[in-house]
PDB file of all heavy atoms in Angstrom:
ATOM      1  N   ASP A   1      66.783 132.925 -23.169  1.00 57.00           N
ATOM      2  CA  ASP A   1      67.527 131.737 -23.571  1.00 57.00           C
ATOM      3  C   ASP A   1      68.864 132.108 -24.239  1.00 57.00           C
ATOM      4  O   ASP A   1      69.870 131.472 -24.030  1.00 57.00           O
ATOM      5  CB  ASP A   1      66.682 130.903 -24.523  1.00 57.00           C
ATOM      6  CG  ASP A   1      67.376 129.596 -24.901  1.00 57.00           C
ATOM      7  OD1 ASP A   1      67.603 128.768 -24.007  1.00 57.00           O
ATOM      8  OD2 ASP A   1      67.688 129.431 -26.100  1.00 57.00           O
ATOM      9  N   LYS A   2      68.814 133.178 -25.049  1.00 57.00           N
ATOM     10  CA  LYS A   2      70.046 133.595 -25.726  1.00 57.00           C
ATOM     11  C   LYS A   2      71.068 134.181 -24.751  1.00 57.00           C
ATOM     12  O   LYS A   2      72.263 134.112 -24.974  1.00 57.00           O
ATOM     13  CB  LYS A   2      69.711 134.626 -26.815  1.00 57.00           C
ATOM     14  CG  LYS A   2      69.015 134.007 -28.011  1.00 57.00           C
ATOM     15  CD  LYS A   2      68.726 135.066 -29.072  1.00 57.00           C
ATOM     16  CE  LYS A   2      68.038 134.439 -30.288  1.00 57.00           C
ATOM     17  NZ  LYS A   2      67.754 135.453 -31.329  1.00 57.00           N
ATOM     18  N   ARG A   3      70.534 134.780 -23.666  1.00 55.00           N
ATOM     19  CA  ARG A   3      71.445 135.366 -22.681  1.00 55.00           C
ATOM     20  C   ARG A   3      71.937 134.359 -21.660  1.00 55.00           C
ATOM     21  O   ARG A   3      72.892 134.620 -20.938  1.00 55.00           O
ATOM     22  CB  ARG A   3      70.750 136.532 -21.963  1.00 55.00           C
ATOM     23  CG  ARG A   3      70.507 137.752 -22.819  1.00 55.00           C
ATOM     24  CD  ARG A   3      70.149 138.954 -21.965  1.00 55.00           C
ATOM     25  NE  ARG A   3      68.924 138.753 -21.199  1.00 55.00           N
ATOM     26  CZ  ARG A   3      67.712 139.060 -21.639  1.00 55.00           C
ATOM     27  NH1 ARG A   3      67.555 139.594 -22.851  1.00 55.00           N
ATOM     28  NH2 ARG A   3      66.668 138.873 -20.892  1.00 55.00           N
ATOM     29  N   MET A   4      71.264 133.190 -21.594  1.00 56.00           N
ATOM     30  CA  MET A   4      71.671 132.177 -20.611  1.00 56.00           C
ATOM     31  C   MET A   4      72.992 131.556 -21.017  1.00 56.00           C
ATOM     32  O   MET A   4      73.216 131.221 -22.186  1.00 56.00           O
ATOM     33  CB  MET A   4      70.610 131.081 -20.484  1.00 56.00           C
ATOM     34  CG  MET A   4      69.316 131.550 -19.852  1.00 56.00           C
ATOM     35  SD  MET A   4      69.486 132.076 -18.124  1.00 56.00           S
ATOM     36  CE  MET A   4      69.618 130.471 -17.309  1.00 56.00           C
ATOM     37  N   THR A   5      73.867 131.405 -20.078  1.00 57.00           N
ATOM     38  CA  THR A   5      75.151 130.748 -20.335  1.00 57.00           C
ATOM     39  C   THR A   5      74.936 129.240 -20.476  1.00 57.00           C
ATOM     40  O   THR A   5      73.886 128.705 -20.076  1.00 57.00           O
ATOM     41  CB  THR A   5      76.124 130.983 -19.165  1.00 57.00           C
ATOM     42  OG1 THR A   5      75.546 130.439 -17.966  1.00 57.00           O
ATOM     43  CG2 THR A   5      76.404 132.461 -18.987  1.00 57.00           C
ATOM     44  N   ASN A   6      75.898 128.568 -21.036  1.00 59.00           N
ATOM     45  CA  ASN A   6      75.856 127.117 -21.033  1.00 59.00           C
ATOM     46  C   ASN A   6      75.902 126.608 -19.604  1.00 59.00           C
ATOM     47  O   ASN A   6      76.558 127.214 -18.748  1.00 59.00           O
ATOM     48  CB  ASN A   6      77.036 126.531 -21.811  1.00 59.00           C
ATOM     49  CG  ASN A   6      76.912 126.779 -23.305  1.00 59.00           C
ATOM     50  OD1 ASN A   6      75.818 126.949 -23.828  1.00 59.00           O
ATOM     51  ND2 ASN A   6      78.055 126.792 -23.989  1.00 59.00           N
ATOM     52  N   PRO A   7      75.226 125.491 -19.301  1.00 66.00           N
ATOM     53  CA  PRO A   7      75.269 124.957 -17.930  1.00 66.00           C
ATOM     54  C   PRO A   7      76.709 124.710 -17.493  1.00 66.00           C
ATOM     55  O   PRO A   7      77.508 124.136 -18.231  1.00 66.00           O
ATOM     56  CB  PRO A   7      74.488 123.644 -18.034  1.00 66.00           C
ATOM     57  CG  PRO A   7      73.593 123.838 -19.212  1.00 66.00           C
ATOM     58  CD  PRO A   7      74.376 124.668 -20.182  1.00 66.00           C
ATOM     59  N   ARG A   8      77.056 125.198 -16.320  1.00 73.00           N
ATOM     60  CA  ARG A   8      78.396 125.024 -15.777  1.00 73.00           C
ATOM     61  C   ARG A   8      78.349 124.084 -14.576  1.00 73.00           C
ATOM     62  O   ARG A   8      77.433 124.178 -13.751  1.00 73.00           O
ATOM     63  CB  ARG A   8      78.977 126.375 -15.352  1.00 73.00           C
ATOM     64  CG  ARG A   8      79.026 127.384 -16.478  1.00 73.00           C
ATOM     65  CD  ARG A   8      80.101 127.018 -17.491  1.00 73.00           C
ATOM     66  NE  ARG A   8      80.066 127.910 -18.639  1.00 73.00           N
ATOM     67  CZ  ARG A   8      80.657 129.090 -18.689  1.00 73.00           C
ATOM     68  NH1 ARG A   8      81.278 129.556 -17.623  1.00 73.00           N
ATOM     69  NH2 ARG A   8      80.595 129.818 -19.773  1.00 73.00           N
ATOM     70  N   VAL A   9      79.337 123.230 -14.497  1.00 76.00           N
ATOM     71  CA  VAL A   9      79.428 122.322 -13.329  1.00 76.00           C
ATOM     72  C   VAL A   9      79.913 123.110 -12.133  1.00 76.00           C
ATOM     73  O   VAL A   9      80.864 123.894 -12.213  1.00 76.00           O
ATOM     74  CB  VAL A   9      80.380 121.162 -13.638  1.00 76.00           C
ATOM     75  CG1 VAL A   9      80.616 120.315 -12.388  1.00 76.00           C
ATOM     76  CG2 VAL A   9      79.850 120.301 -14.759  1.00 76.00           C
ATOM     77  N   LEU A  10      79.253 122.903 -11.016  1.00 81.00           N
ATOM     78  CA  LEU A  10      79.726 123.438  -9.731  1.00 81.00           C
ATOM     79  C   LEU A  10      80.378 122.260  -8.990  1.00 81.00           C
ATOM     80  O   LEU A  10      79.676 121.419  -8.422  1.00 81.00           O
ATOM     81  CB  LEU A  10      78.559 124.001  -8.915  1.00 81.00           C
ATOM     82  CG  LEU A  10      77.810 125.169  -9.554  1.00 81.00           C
ATOM     83  CD1 LEU A  10      76.642 125.606  -8.666  1.00 81.00           C
ATOM     84  CD2 LEU A  10      78.744 126.341  -9.832  1.00 81.00           C
ATOM     85  N   PRO A  11      81.698 122.175  -9.023  1.00 83.00           N
ATOM     86  CA  PRO A  11      82.354 120.987  -8.485  1.00 83.00           C
ATOM     87  C   PRO A  11      82.167 120.862  -6.978  1.00 83.00           C
ATOM     88  O   PRO A  11      82.287 121.838  -6.241  1.00 83.00           O
ATOM     89  CB  PRO A  11      83.835 121.200  -8.843  1.00 83.00           C
ATOM     90  CG  PRO A  11      83.854 122.281  -9.871  1.00 83.00           C
ATOM     91  CD  PRO A  11      82.656 123.121  -9.591  1.00 83.00           C
ATOM     92  N   ALA A  12      81.908 119.635  -6.542  1.00 88.00           N
ATOM     93  CA  ALA A  12      81.901 119.352  -5.120  1.00 88.00           C
ATOM     94  C   ALA A  12      83.352 119.314  -4.623  1.00 88.00           C
ATOM     95  O   ALA A  12      84.254 118.924  -5.355  1.00 88.00           O
ATOM     96  CB  ALA A  12      81.227 117.998  -4.857  1.00 88.00           C
ATOM     97  N   VAL A  13      83.567 119.751  -3.408  1.00 90.00           N
ATOM     98  CA  VAL A  13      84.904 119.713  -2.830  1.00 90.00           C
ATOM     99  C   VAL A  13      85.159 118.298  -2.312  1.00 90.00           C
ATOM    100  O   VAL A  13      84.367 117.749  -1.540  1.00 90.00           O
ATOM    101  CB  VAL A  13      85.043 120.719  -1.684  1.00 90.00           C
ATOM    102  CG1 VAL A  13      86.423 120.600  -1.024  1.00 90.00           C
ATOM    103  CG2 VAL A  13      84.821 122.132  -2.187  1.00 90.00           C
ATOM    104  N   ARG A  14      86.246 117.699  -2.769  1.00 94.00           N
ATOM    105  CA  ARG A  14      86.589 116.339  -2.369  1.00 94.00           C
ATOM    106  C   ARG A  14      86.937 116.309  -0.884  1.00 94.00           C
ATOM    107  O   ARG A  14      87.608 117.182  -0.359  1.00 94.00           O
ATOM    108  CB  ARG A  14      87.765 115.848  -3.202  1.00 94.00           C
ATOM    109  CG  ARG A  14      88.064 114.346  -3.071  1.00 94.00           C
ATOM    110  CD  ARG A  14      89.122 113.933  -4.091  1.00 94.00           C
ATOM    111  NE  ARG A  14      89.445 112.518  -3.995  1.00 94.00           N
ATOM    112  CZ  ARG A  14      88.771 111.554  -4.596  1.00 94.00           C
ATOM    113  NH1 ARG A  14      87.722 111.867  -5.337  1.00 94.00           N
ATOM    114  NH2 ARG A  14      89.112 110.276  -4.481  1.00 94.00           N
ATOM    115  N   GLY A  15      86.463 115.288  -0.214  1.00 96.00           N
ATOM    116  CA  GLY A  15      86.741 115.145   1.213  1.00 96.00           C
ATOM    117  C   GLY A  15      88.216 114.944   1.508  1.00 96.00           C
ATOM    118  O   GLY A  15      88.981 114.516   0.662  1.00 96.00           O
ATOM    119  N   GLU A  16      88.613 115.250   2.722  1.00 97.00           N
ATOM    120  CA  GLU A  16      90.003 115.092   3.124  1.00 97.00           C
ATOM    121  C   GLU A  16      90.269 113.667   3.590  1.00 97.00           C
ATOM    122  O   GLU A  16      89.354 112.957   4.017  1.00 97.00           O
ATOM    123  CB  GLU A  16      90.345 116.066   4.265  1.00 97.00           C
ATOM    124  CG  GLU A  16      90.305 117.523   3.859  1.00 97.00           C
ATOM    125  CD  GLU A  16      90.772 118.433   4.977  1.00 97.00           C
ATOM    126  OE1 GLU A  16      90.275 118.263   6.113  1.00 97.00           O
ATOM    127  OE2 GLU A  16      91.624 119.303   4.730  1.00 97.00           O
ATOM    128  N   ILE A  17      91.521 113.255   3.541  1.00 98.00           N
ATOM    129  CA  ILE A  17      91.970 112.019   4.163  1.00 98.00           C
ATOM    130  C   ILE A  17      92.862 112.427   5.319  1.00 98.00           C
ATOM    131  O   ILE A  17      93.844 113.167   5.137  1.00 98.00           O
ATOM    132  CB  ILE A  17      92.750 111.133   3.171  1.00 98.00           C
ATOM    133  CG1 ILE A  17      91.846 110.724   2.004  1.00 98.00           C
ATOM    134  CG2 ILE A  17      93.268 109.869   3.883  1.00 98.00           C
ATOM    135  CD1 ILE A  17      92.535 109.885   0.940  1.00 98.00           C
ATOM    136  N   LEU A  18      92.502 112.013   6.513  1.00 98.00           N
ATOM    137  CA  LEU A  18      93.149 112.467   7.738  1.00 98.00           C
ATOM    138  C   LEU A  18      93.797 111.318   8.491  1.00 98.00           C
ATOM    139  O   LEU A  18      93.369 110.173   8.372  1.00 98.00           O
ATOM    140  CB  LEU A  18      92.106 113.144   8.659  1.00 98.00           C
ATOM    141  CG  LEU A  18      91.216 114.201   7.991  1.00 98.00           C
ATOM    142  CD1 LEU A  18      90.059 114.563   8.928  1.00 98.00           C
ATOM    143  CD2 LEU A  18      92.016 115.442   7.673  1.00 98.00           C
ATOM    144  N   ASP A  19      94.798 111.631   9.282  1.00 98.00           N
ATOM    145  CA  ASP A  19      95.346 110.605  10.171  1.00 98.00           C
ATOM    146  C   ASP A  19      94.424 110.503  11.392  1.00 98.00           C
ATOM    147  O   ASP A  19      93.429 111.234  11.494  1.00 98.00           O
ATOM    148  CB  ASP A  19      96.807 110.884  10.526  1.00 98.00           C
ATOM    149  CG  ASP A  19      96.992 111.741  11.770  1.00 98.00           C
ATOM    150  OD1 ASP A  19      96.082 112.527  12.104  1.00 98.00           O
ATOM    151  OD2 ASP A  19      98.067 111.636  12.399  1.00 98.00           O
ATOM    152  N   ARG A  20      94.730 109.626  12.314  1.00 97.00           N
ATOM    153  CA  ARG A  20      93.821 109.362  13.434  1.00 97.00           C
ATOM    154  C   ARG A  20      93.654 110.578  14.343  1.00 97.00           C
ATOM    155  O   ARG A  20      92.691 110.655  15.123  1.00 97.00           O
ATOM    156  CB  ARG A  20      94.299 108.157  14.222  1.00 97.00           C
ATOM    157  CG  ARG A  20      95.619 108.313  14.927  1.00 97.00           C
ATOM    158  CD  ARG A  20      96.121 106.991  15.541  1.00 97.00           C
ATOM    159  NE  ARG A  20      95.185 106.454  16.501  1.00 97.00           N
ATOM    160  CZ  ARG A  20      94.493 105.335  16.336  1.00 97.00           C
ATOM    161  NH1 ARG A  20      94.630 104.618  15.210  1.00 97.00           N
ATOM    162  NH2 ARG A  20      93.675 104.897  17.256  1.00 97.00           N
ATOM    163  N   HIS A  21      94.563 111.566  14.264  1.00 97.00           N
ATOM    164  CA  HIS A  21      94.469 112.756  15.096  1.00 97.00           C
ATOM    165  C   HIS A  21      93.940 113.960  14.323  1.00 97.00           C
ATOM    166  O   HIS A  21      93.953 115.089  14.832  1.00 97.00           O
ATOM    167  CB  HIS A  21      95.855 113.095  15.660  1.00 97.00           C
ATOM    168  CG  HIS A  21      96.465 111.970  16.444  1.00 97.00           C
ATOM    169  ND1 HIS A  21      95.913 111.472  17.596  1.00 97.00           N
ATOM    170  CD2 HIS A  21      97.595 111.224  16.215  1.00 97.00           C
ATOM    171  CE1 HIS A  21      96.661 110.474  18.061  1.00 97.00           C
ATOM    172  NE2 HIS A  21      97.671 110.305  17.223  1.00 97.00           N
ATOM    173  N   GLY A  22      93.490 113.752  13.090  1.00 96.00           N
ATOM    174  CA  GLY A  22      92.914 114.840  12.311  1.00 96.00           C
ATOM    175  C   GLY A  22      93.905 115.616  11.470  1.00 96.00           C
ATOM    176  O   GLY A  22      93.579 116.640  10.885  1.00 96.00           O
ATOM    177  N   VAL A  23      95.148 115.115  11.367  1.00 97.00           N
ATOM    178  CA  VAL A  23      96.155 115.754  10.529  1.00 97.00           C
ATOM    179  C   VAL A  23      95.914 115.354   9.082  1.00 97.00           C
ATOM    180  O   VAL A  23      95.761 114.179   8.763  1.00 97.00           O
ATOM    181  CB  VAL A  23      97.580 115.340  10.961  1.00 97.00           C
ATOM    182  CG1 VAL A  23      98.619 115.974  10.045  1.00 97.00           C
ATOM    183  CG2 VAL A  23      97.816 115.734  12.416  1.00 97.00           C
ATOM    184  N   ALA A  24      95.894 116.359   8.177  1.00 97.00           N
ATOM    185  CA  ALA A  24      95.569 116.093   6.772  1.00 97.00           C
ATOM    186  C   ALA A  24      96.694 115.360   6.062  1.00 97.00           C
ATOM    187  O   ALA A  24      97.833 115.805   6.065  1.00 97.00           O
ATOM    188  CB  ALA A  24      95.267 117.392   6.054  1.00 97.00           C
ATOM    189  N   LEU A  25      96.338 114.232   5.456  1.00 98.00           N
ATOM    190  CA  LEU A  25      97.262 113.500   4.580  1.00 98.00           C
ATOM    191  C   LEU A  25      96.924 113.784   3.115  1.00 98.00           C
ATOM    192  O   LEU A  25      97.780 113.654   2.256  1.00 98.00           O
ATOM    193  CB  LEU A  25      97.153 112.005   4.862  1.00 98.00           C
ATOM    194  CG  LEU A  25      97.471 111.556   6.302  1.00 98.00           C
ATOM    195  CD1 LEU A  25      97.224 110.065   6.468  1.00 98.00           C
ATOM    196  CD2 LEU A  25      98.916 111.900   6.679  1.00 98.00           C
ATOM    197  N   ALA A  26      95.675 114.159   2.865  1.00 97.00           N
ATOM    198  CA  ALA A  26      95.236 114.568   1.530  1.00 97.00           C
ATOM    199  C   ALA A  26      94.143 115.603   1.715  1.00 97.00           C
ATOM    200  O   ALA A  26      93.220 115.418   2.522  1.00 97.00           O
ATOM    201  CB  ALA A  26      94.712 113.384   0.727  1.00 97.00           C
ATOM    202  N   THR A  27      94.232 116.709   0.977  1.00 96.00           N
ATOM    203  CA  THR A  27      93.244 117.759   1.104  1.00 96.00           C
ATOM    204  C   THR A  27      93.070 118.440  -0.242  1.00 96.00           C
ATOM    205  O   THR A  27      93.801 118.150  -1.198  1.00 96.00           O
ATOM    206  CB  THR A  27      93.654 118.784   2.177  1.00 96.00           C
ATOM    207  OG1 THR A  27      92.570 119.680   2.429  1.00 96.00           O
ATOM    208  CG2 THR A  27      94.888 119.578   1.758  1.00 96.00           C
ATOM    209  N   SER A  28      92.077 119.325  -0.332  1.00 93.00           N
ATOM    210  CA  SER A  28      91.819 120.059  -1.568  1.00 93.00           C
ATOM    211  C   SER A  28      91.920 121.545  -1.294  1.00 93.00           C
ATOM    212  O   SER A  28      91.388 122.030  -0.288  1.00 93.00           O
ATOM    213  CB  SER A  28      90.429 119.716  -2.110  1.00 93.00           C
ATOM    214  OG  SER A  28      90.359 118.343  -2.470  1.00 93.00           O
ATOM    215  N   VAL A  29      92.616 122.257  -2.163  1.00 92.00           N
ATOM    216  CA  VAL A  29      92.782 123.704  -2.013  1.00 92.00           C
ATOM    217  C   VAL A  29      92.073 124.417  -3.149  1.00 92.00           C
ATOM    218  O   VAL A  29      91.802 123.837  -4.205  1.00 92.00           O
ATOM    219  CB  VAL A  29      94.276 124.097  -1.983  1.00 92.00           C
ATOM    220  CG1 VAL A  29      94.964 123.491  -0.773  1.00 92.00           C
ATOM    221  CG2 VAL A  29      94.991 123.669  -3.265  1.00 92.00           C
ATOM    222  N   GLU A  30      91.790 125.721  -2.945  1.00 90.00           N
ATOM    223  CA  GLU A  30      91.054 126.516  -3.931  1.00 90.00           C
ATOM    224  C   GLU A  30      91.822 126.590  -5.259  1.00 90.00           C
ATOM    225  O   GLU A  30      93.046 126.798  -5.292  1.00 90.00           O
ATOM    226  CB  GLU A  30      90.839 127.923  -3.383  1.00 90.00           C
ATOM    227  CG  GLU A  30      90.060 128.841  -4.319  1.00 90.00           C
ATOM    228  CD  GLU A  30      89.894 130.235  -3.730  1.00 90.00           C
ATOM    229  OE1 GLU A  30      90.223 130.434  -2.547  1.00 90.00           O
ATOM    230  OE2 GLU A  30      89.443 131.119  -4.479  1.00 90.00           O
ATOM    231  N   ALA A  31      91.106 126.419  -6.334  1.00 90.00           N
ATOM    232  CA  ALA A  31      91.693 126.522  -7.673  1.00 90.00           C
ATOM    233  C   ALA A  31      90.598 126.974  -8.644  1.00 90.00           C
ATOM    234  O   ALA A  31      89.408 127.038  -8.269  1.00 90.00           O
ATOM    235  CB  ALA A  31      92.289 125.188  -8.107  1.00 90.00           C
ATOM    236  N   TYR A  32      91.005 127.299  -9.880  1.00 91.00           N
ATOM    237  CA  TYR A  32      90.048 127.779 -10.884  1.00 91.00           C
ATOM    238  C   TYR A  32      90.340 127.151 -12.234  1.00 91.00           C
ATOM    239  O   TYR A  32      91.500 127.015 -12.628  1.00 91.00           O
ATOM    240  CB  TYR A  32      90.117 129.305 -11.006  1.00 91.00           C
ATOM    241  CG  TYR A  32      89.625 130.044  -9.782  1.00 91.00           C
ATOM    242  CD1 TYR A  32      90.487 130.302  -8.731  1.00 91.00           C
ATOM    243  CD2 TYR A  32      88.299 130.427  -9.669  1.00 91.00           C
ATOM    244  CE1 TYR A  32      90.045 130.947  -7.594  1.00 91.00           C
ATOM    245  CE2 TYR A  32      87.844 131.078  -8.547  1.00 91.00           C
ATOM    246  CZ  TYR A  32      88.716 131.338  -7.500  1.00 91.00           C
ATOM    247  OH  TYR A  32      88.258 131.981  -6.383  1.00 91.00           O
ATOM    248  N   ASP A  33      89.258 126.783 -12.925  1.00 90.00           N
ATOM    249  CA  ASP A  33      89.379 126.407 -14.339  1.00 90.00           C
ATOM    250  C   ASP A  33      89.223 127.671 -15.162  1.00 90.00           C
ATOM    251  O   ASP A  33      88.316 128.486 -14.914  1.00 90.00           O
ATOM    252  CB  ASP A  33      88.285 125.401 -14.732  1.00 90.00           C
ATOM    253  CG  ASP A  33      88.521 124.016 -14.129  1.00 90.00           C
ATOM    254  OD1 ASP A  33      89.640 123.778 -13.645  1.00 90.00           O
ATOM    255  OD2 ASP A  33      87.590 123.203 -14.148  1.00 90.00           O
ATOM    256  N   VAL A  34      90.107 127.860 -16.134  1.00 94.00           N
ATOM    257  CA  VAL A  34      90.052 129.044 -17.002  1.00 94.00           C
ATOM    258  C   VAL A  34      89.360 128.639 -18.307  1.00 94.00           C
ATOM    259  O   VAL A  34      89.796 127.695 -18.977  1.00 94.00           O
ATOM    260  CB  VAL A  34      91.450 129.593 -17.307  1.00 94.00           C
ATOM    261  CG1 VAL A  34      91.355 130.874 -18.129  1.00 94.00           C
ATOM    262  CG2 VAL A  34      92.216 129.848 -16.010  1.00 94.00           C
ATOM    263  N   VAL A  35      88.277 129.350 -18.654  1.00 93.00           N
ATOM    264  CA  VAL A  35      87.533 129.037 -19.873  1.00 93.00           C
ATOM    265  C   VAL A  35      87.329 130.341 -20.654  1.00 93.00           C
ATOM    266  O   VAL A  35      87.485 131.437 -20.127  1.00 93.00           O
ATOM    267  CB  VAL A  35      86.176 128.380 -19.566  1.00 93.00           C
ATOM    268  CG1 VAL A  35      86.359 127.099 -18.793  1.00 93.00           C
ATOM    269  CG2 VAL A  35      85.277 129.352 -18.782  1.00 93.00           C
ATOM    270  N   ALA A  36      86.970 130.188 -21.905  1.00 94.00           N
ATOM    271  CA  ALA A  36      86.667 131.347 -22.755  1.00 94.00           C
ATOM    272  C   ALA A  36      85.266 131.182 -23.341  1.00 94.00           C
ATOM    273  O   ALA A  36      84.864 130.061 -23.691  1.00 94.00           O
ATOM    274  CB  ALA A  36      87.689 131.484 -23.875  1.00 94.00           C
ATOM    275  N   ASN A  37      84.547 132.285 -23.413  1.00 91.00           N
ATOM    276  CA  ASN A  37      83.303 132.338 -24.195  1.00 91.00           C
ATOM    277  C   ASN A  37      83.674 133.009 -25.515  1.00 91.00           C
ATOM    278  O   ASN A  37      83.788 134.253 -25.574  1.00 91.00           O
ATOM    279  CB  ASN A  37      82.231 133.144 -23.473  1.00 91.00           C
ATOM    280  CG  ASN A  37      80.912 133.144 -24.223  1.00 91.00           C
ATOM    281  OD1 ASN A  37      80.874 132.916 -25.446  1.00 91.00           O
ATOM    282  ND2 ASN A  37      79.823 133.405 -23.511  1.00 91.00           N
ATOM    283  N   PRO A  38      83.929 132.227 -26.566  1.00 93.00           N
ATOM    284  CA  PRO A  38      84.419 132.801 -27.847  1.00 93.00           C
ATOM    285  C   PRO A  38      83.551 133.928 -28.388  1.00 93.00           C
ATOM    286  O   PRO A  38      84.051 134.823 -29.075  1.00 93.00           O
ATOM    287  CB  PRO A  38      84.445 131.600 -28.779  1.00 93.00           C
ATOM    288  CG  PRO A  38      84.634 130.419 -27.858  1.00 93.00           C
ATOM    289  CD  PRO A  38      83.816 130.763 -26.648  1.00 93.00           C
ATOM    290  N   GLN A  39      82.235 133.910 -28.088  1.00 90.00           N
ATOM    291  CA  GLN A  39      81.349 134.930 -28.613  1.00 90.00           C
ATOM    292  C   GLN A  39      81.615 136.303 -27.983  1.00 90.00           C
ATOM    293  O   GLN A  39      81.247 137.331 -28.537  1.00 90.00           O
ATOM    294  CB  GLN A  39      79.889 134.522 -28.402  1.00 90.00           C
ATOM    295  CG  GLN A  39      79.537 133.154 -28.961  1.00 90.00           C
ATOM    296  CD  GLN A  39      79.980 132.964 -30.401  1.00 90.00           C
ATOM    297  OE1 GLN A  39      79.721 133.810 -31.255  1.00 90.00           O
ATOM    298  NE2 GLN A  39      80.670 131.865 -30.670  1.00 90.00           N
ATOM    299  N   ASN A  40      82.267 136.274 -26.817  1.00 91.00           N
ATOM    300  CA  ASN A  40      82.539 137.528 -26.121  1.00 91.00           C
ATOM    301  C   ASN A  40      84.002 137.977 -26.262  1.00 91.00           C
ATOM    302  O   ASN A  40      84.376 139.014 -25.699  1.00 91.00           O
ATOM    303  CB  ASN A  40      82.178 137.403 -24.645  1.00 91.00           C
ATOM    304  CG  ASN A  40      80.696 137.233 -24.422  1.00 91.00           C
ATOM    305  OD1 ASN A  40      79.888 137.708 -25.224  1.00 91.00           O
ATOM    306  ND2 ASN A  40      80.340 136.552 -23.358  1.00 91.00           N
TER     307      ASN A  40
END
């Protein structure tokens, strides 16, 4: 229990919005949230 990290959210990837031919009008690209574990 002491070694277990706090529960972390695994974000779902938001769906794309496409035009009628499949061209992306809105999409999601890889990114990262930066966090700190103060105890470490």
Side-chain angles (χ1 to χ4, degrees):
D1 184 64
K2 288 181 179 180
R3 290 194 298 270
M4 291 295 284
T5 60
N6 290 335
R8 303 288 174 84
V9 174
L10 299 178
V13 177
R14 191 172 179 85
E16 294 185 311
I17 299 178
L18 310 168
D19 90 334
R20 65 188 300 113
H21 303 297
V23 178
L25 301 175
T27 189
S28 296
V29 296
E30 181 181 351
Y32 292 86
D33 288 346
V34 184
V35 301
N37 183 338
Q39 306 310 311
N40 293 331

